[in-house]
Amino acid sequence: MGCRGSKTDCVHIDDSKIENGSVEVEHSFRHRRKVLDRETGKVFEEVIPGPVWSILKGLYATSACGVVAAHPFRCCLRRITQHAGRKMRSPSSKKDIQKFVDVYRIDLDEVLLPLEKFVSMNDFFTRELKPLARPIHSPQDAGVFVSCADCRVIIFQTLEEATRIWIKGLKFSLAELLGDAAAKPFLQKPGCCSVAVCRLAPQDYHRFHFPCGPGEVIDQNFLAGEYYSVNPLAVNNPNIDVLTENCRSVTRLQHPSFGQVAFVAVGATLVGSVELLKEVGSTFAKGDCYGYFQYGGSTCVIVTEPGAVGWDPDLLDASARGIESFVKMGEQIGLSCT
């Protein structure tokens, strides 16, 4: 889909303009994103392949040339996603696994099964890792909050801060994200809820886990929606409400140290479905696998009660500058404030 107006209406994209380390909507989208590797403390460039970048830039990068969330466009994304899901579940897609491994330099030593055991691309995409590949930080300490996935995380102590720096959709609110019923307990608490946005890139391990424990699954709701990209190019665009319009699974968890925690698994372009492995009423331990995304990159959003979590300072510092931090599942990202 091209520009809605003439070429002269398009805003020039200047790669050199980065505001506070973040991507600024309208004129500074890049085909390389800067991400902080928490383990090494160094910033690396996450390269978006050329064809993917061209599509993302055309759809989301500017208001003049970008997408307006029109009905035909939404239908197109839905069809593309459904087609990709069928294709990646087909045995014929097995031939693409090795190329995927090579392109994204996936460490096969971490993978539970040998490559020849996977029957399709989607089977490999939802792969399990060896038990010791992702150790859980302080597994018996209920006051430690850990990353739910291998992801690029950005954390804000208030929703106002999140919308000022990162989430630019004009309709973003707790009620829009979770639904009125699930949001009500959080909105009734005095103070501001915090939010962690955990973005999974295509090369990441695509299972997600409980960030705290022990606990119980209070309720689960699936909210139907669209299939916009969850790439920051889309999330940072004020014309599209990605996190509140995309299809998503919303879960409320009950935890003795953190109170209620909302866990949102957000579907996206090329993500065929979100599969949950626990039901309402189930109990869980910190680090237990909760589910997985089918083919494609996606996002988990975690909402915590006001004052429940003291997030790790290094992650808050990077987030305040609009920089995502790469963390692995099971790493500590916060502590209980109680």
Side-chain angles (χ1 to χ4, degrees):
M1 182 177 291
C3 301
R4 290 178 56 82
S6 67
K7 291 183 179 180
T8 57
D9 293 329
C10 298
V11 179
H12 174 66
I13 298 175
D14 184 351
D15 282 353
S16 66
K17 295 183 179 179
I18 300 292
E19 185 175 83
N20 296 325
S22 65
V23 177
E24 184 181 354
V25 175
E26 298 292 341
H27 61 271
S28 63
F29 287 103
R30 296 156 54 104
H31 64 286
R32 294 174 183 265
R33 290 196 56 79
K34 293 186 181 299
V35 178
L36 176 66
D37 188 324
R38 192 189 198 192
E39 184 177 4
T40 65
K42 296 180 179 179
V43 173
F44 68 92
E45 289 190 325
E46 181 181 277
V47 179
I48 303 174
V52 176
W53 159 247
S54 297
I55 293 171
L56 289 171
K57 184 175 71 171
L59 295 178
Y60 302 108
T62 68
S63 59
C65 298
V67 65
V68 174
H71 178 69
F73 172 71
R74 298 197 303 266
C75 290
C76 180
L77 285 181
R78 192 173 296 114
R79 288 195 300 270
I80 290 172
T81 299
Q82 292 168 348
H83 173 73
R86 290 191 296 269
K87 180 179 178 182
M88 293 306 169
R89 288 191 296 269
S90 168
S92 64
S93 66
K94 182 175 181 176
K95 67 181 185 303
D96 299 322
I97 296 177
Q98 186 61 60
K99 181 178 179 182
F100 186 85
V101 169
D102 294 340
V103 168
Y104 288 111
R105 300 177 182 177
I106 294 171
D107 184 1
L108 294 179
D109 288 338
E110 297 181 335
V111 181
L112 181 62
L113 299 177
L115 211 58
E116 61 269 18
K117 294 292 185 179
F118 295 100
V119 298
S120 68
M121 184 65 219
N122 194 67
D123 191 30
F124 177 75
F125 194 79
T126 59
R127 62 194 176 274
E128 294 183 78
L129 300 185
K130 293 176 181 176
L132 298 180
R134 295 293 182 272
I136 307 301
H137 192 285
S138 303
Q140 303 306 317
D141 188 343
V144 174
F145 205 92
V146 301
S147 175
C148 65
D150 286 8
C151 63
R152 293 120 183 87
V153 68
I154 193 159
I155 301 173
F156 301 101
Q157 298 187 84
T158 69
L159 265 66
E160 185 278 331
E161 186 183 22
T163 54
R164 178 174 58 85
I165 296 175
W166 193 250
I167 306 170
K168 299 301 184 181
L170 298 178
K171 297 179 182 177
F172 182 81
S173 69
L174 212 56
E176 290 288 338
L177 175 68
L178 305 180
D180 291 333
K184 187 176 180 180
F186 294 91
L187 296 174
Q188 289 176 335
K189 298 278 185 177
C192 297
C193 296
S194 59
V195 58
V197 181
C198 308
R199 177 174 66 90
L200 286 70
Q203 63 267 36
D204 291 330
Y205 163 63
H206 260 66
R207 290 178 177 250
F208 47 85
H209 298 244
F210 291 104
C212 54
E216 180 182 356
V217 177
I218 302 175
D219 57 34
Q220 299 168 329
N221 291 289
F222 178 77
L223 302 180
E226 307 305 335
Y227 291 89
Y228 298 127
S229 170
V230 291
N231 188 281
L233 274 71
V235 176
N236 296 162
N237 191 316
N239 297 307
I240 302 170
D241 289 277
V242 173
L243 298 181
T244 59
E245 290 191 28
N246 274 22
C247 60
R248 57 202 181 279
S249 173
V250 178
T251 301
R252 281 191 304 141
L253 311 174
Q254 185 67 47
H255 186 271
S257 296
F258 300 107
Q260 288 195 20
V261 176
F263 190 104
V264 185
V266 184
T269 308
L270 301 183
V271 177
S273 64
V274 177
E275 299 291 336
L276 301 181
L277 302 178
K278 294 279 189 177
E279 299 179 345
V280 173
S282 299
T283 57
F284 58 85
K286 178 169 54 181
D288 283 354
C289 186
Y290 184 32
Y292 55 86
F293 293 107
Q294 303 278 12
Y295 182 80
S298 200
T299 288
C300 296
V301 181
I302 296 172
V303 179
T304 60
E305 292 181 356
V309 183
W311 301 104
D312 287 358
D314 64 315
L315 300 178
L316 289 177
D317 177 68
S319 300
R321 294 181 287 128
I323 300 175
E324 298 169 299
S325 298
F326 177 71
V327 299
K328 292 182 179 179
M329 193 283 291
E331 287 186 25
Q332 176 185 307
I333 60 174
L335 296 171
S336 171
C337 291
T338 59

